[in-house]
């Protein structure tokens, strides 16, 4: 038996005793998640080594608490209205950071992982980094945008894929990835920043800037893969084999075989969590608002995951609910 298959066999056998919980919710419960959400994520109590909780902040954003350390992924809490869901879309929308929404939720952060620099992934990052002193990891574009916002270079780490970063009780592997394409086979606000630009003023000033994925491995806990957009370089996923995958929903069919390639590349994770399915220009309150077209896409995505990877469990998250894998 090939070594990869043996690893998967042993992992799946161990999964029979594993739980995915949200306030005690068993992993067998799939969509929608029913745990009672908290309005503000509290500082976690003391945990055993490796204990970890995951709270979804909408879009591709997550708060991950590992003991007394907090990792943020694409934290976008301001959720400003650009007309994207109501029309017409306004690229000239000013970047307005909602400190009243951010401050109660972000009491601390050790690191911020940025998948790409579109406004709904990066806009709040400079403020959060300035407030908490967190180190920001992202592409060279994220690095130069951070400088443009006045963050010190000592707080910014440019990565490109392939790096394995050791933080003691957890590690982060950076994975080169791709941004999804719209029905016209193009990417909104394409481009990179190879030098610090003027301080961004509108959402159009934040380009895609290349896209990354991140694999978080917790010592004594789960391994979790985070996507920020719905495309994939399947070859870059070889050997990652995470327990859990946070998978961005497709909004167009122009990327061929997205889910089959992603799930196969990740060796069919035990748990698949759809993200980036919500209307992220509304208040952060449950149930997550979903546009009618996106509701159809979400239903189709869940069915596709179950068909492609029948041993995977699908967990559709709610906002600010603590999940334990």
């Amino acid at each position: 038996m090939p070594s990869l298959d043996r690893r998967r066999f042993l992992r799946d056998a161990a999964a029979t005793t594993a739980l995915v919980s949200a306030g005690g919710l068993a992993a067998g419960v799939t969509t929608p998640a029913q745990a009672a959400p908290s309005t503000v994520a509290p500082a976690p109590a003391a945990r055993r080594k490796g204990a970890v909780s995951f709270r979804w902040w909408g879009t591709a954003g997550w708060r991950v608490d590992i003991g007394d350390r907090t990792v943020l992924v694409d934290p976008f809490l301001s959720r400003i209205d650009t007309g994207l869901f109501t029309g017409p879309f306004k690229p000239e929308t000013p970047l307005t950071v909602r400190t009243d929404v951010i401050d109660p939720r972000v009491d601390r952060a050790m690191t911020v992982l940025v998948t790409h620099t579109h406004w709904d992934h990066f806009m709040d990052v400079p403020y959060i980094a300035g407030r908490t002193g967190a180190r920001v990891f992202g592409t060279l574009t994220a690095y130069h945008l951070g400088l443009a916002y006045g963050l010190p270079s000592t707080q910014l780490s440019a990565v490109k894929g392939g790096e394995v970063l050791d933080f003691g009780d957890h590690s982060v592997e950076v994975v080169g990835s791709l941004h999804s394409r719209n029905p016209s086979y193009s990417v909104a606000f394409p481009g990179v920043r190879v030098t610090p630009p003027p301080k961004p003023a509108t959402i159009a000033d934040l380009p895609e800037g290349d896209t990354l994925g991140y694999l978080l491995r917790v010592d004594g806990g789960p391994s979790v893969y985070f996507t920020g957009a719905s495309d994939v370089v399947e070859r870059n996923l070889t050997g990652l084999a995470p327990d859990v995958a946070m998978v961005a929903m497709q909004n167009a069919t122009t990327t061929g075989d997205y889910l089959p390639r992603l799930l196969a590349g990740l060796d069919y994770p035990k748990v698949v969590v759809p993200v980036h399915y919500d209307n992220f220009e509304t208040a952060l309150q449950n149930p997550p608002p979903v546009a009618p077209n996106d509701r159809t896409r979400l239903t189709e995505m869940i069915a596709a995951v179950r068909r492609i990877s029948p041993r995977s469990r699908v967990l559709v998250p709610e906002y600010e609910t603590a999940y334990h894998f």
Side-chain angles (χ1 to χ4, degrees):
M1 180 181 294
S3 59
L4 182 61
D5 291 341
R6 182 168 60 251
R7 183 179 69 247
R8 181 178 166 194
F9 174 80
L10 293 173
R11 186 191 68 189
D12 289 347
T16 59
T17 59
L19 292 178
V20 178
S21 65
L25 180 68
V29 179
T30 55
T31 179
Q34 297 295 328
S38 59
T39 302
V40 178
R47 296 182 173 91
R48 64 174 175 80
K49 183 179 180 182
V52 58
S53 67
F54 298 78
R55 290 179 174 87
W56 184 47
W57 276 345
T59 323
W62 290 89
R63 171 173 174 151
V64 184
D65 288 306
I66 305 168
D68 60 357
R69 309 169 89 179
T70 297
V71 177
L72 305 181
V73 182
D74 283 0
F76 175 62
L77 293 164
S78 292
R79 299 169 69 88
I80 60 174
D81 183 6
T82 70
L84 183 63
F85 290 87
T86 58
F89 178 57
K90 302 179 182 66
E92 69 278 9
T93 301
L95 294 166
T96 305
V97 174
R98 294 282 310 278
T99 61
D100 60 316
V101 176
I102 296 171
D103 289 354
R105 292 172 169 86
V106 186
D107 55 330
R108 68 187 190 199
M110 184 185 75
T111 54
V112 179
L113 308 178
V114 177
T115 65
H116 64 285
T117 50
H118 278 154
W119 84 97
D120 54 325
H121 298 256
F122 182 79
M123 188 185 97
D124 290 342
V125 169
Y127 174 76
I128 289 171
R131 170 178 167 79
T132 63
R135 174 167 291 278
V136 177
F137 293 87
T139 62
L140 190 61
T141 295
Y143 176 87
H144 285 128
L145 286 170
L147 294 177
Y149 274 96
L151 292 175
S153 61
T154 53
Q155 207 173 330
L156 300 166
S157 294
V159 289
K160 62 178 63 176
E163 298 90 347
V164 178
L165 311 168
D166 188 350
F167 297 97
D169 58 357
H170 68 280
S171 67
V172 173
E173 183 168 349
V174 187
V175 181
S177 192
L178 295 170
H179 196 277
S180 47
R181 303 258 159 187
N182 62 27
S184 299
Y185 295 88
S186 60
V187 175
F189 307 146
V192 298
R193 297 289 182 264
V194 296
T195 59
K199 183 178 179 180
T202 71
I203 62 170
D205 294 332
L206 294 178
E208 178 247 336
D210 296 328
T211 295
L212 302 169
Y214 294 94
L215 178 68
L216 172 70
R217 294 186 179 96
V218 179
D219 184 17
S223 59
V224 181
Y225 185 68
F226 295 92
T227 69
S230 54
D231 202 349
V232 59
V233 182
E234 185 179 351
R235 295 169 183 83
N236 290 350
L237 306 180
T238 301
L240 298 184
D243 301 307
V244 183
M246 313 304 195
V247 177
M249 184 183 73
Q250 269 187 304
N251 64 358
T253 58
T254 48
T255 297
D257 295 327
Y258 164 59
L259 283 174
R261 292 188 295 115
L262 176 66
L263 294 174
L266 293 176
D267 198 23
Y268 304 104
K270 293 196 297 282
V271 182
V272 174
V273 182
V275 297
H276 222 324
Y277 67 81
D278 59 321
N279 178 344
F280 51 83
E281 298 190 350
T282 61
L284 196 68
Q285 58 188 18
N286 286 314
V290 185
N293 287 343
D294 290 336
R295 175 68 67 185
T296 299
R297 293 188 186 101
L298 177 61
T299 300
E300 292 172 347
M301 175 183 177
I302 293 167
V305 171
R306 289 173 173 161
R307 182 178 65 254
I308 297 163
S309 184
R311 285 186 286 183
S312 298
R313 296 176 179 179
V314 180
L315 173 67
V316 179
E318 291 195 330
Y319 297 143
E320 304 193 278
T321 301
Y323 295 100
H324 307 275
F325 300 104

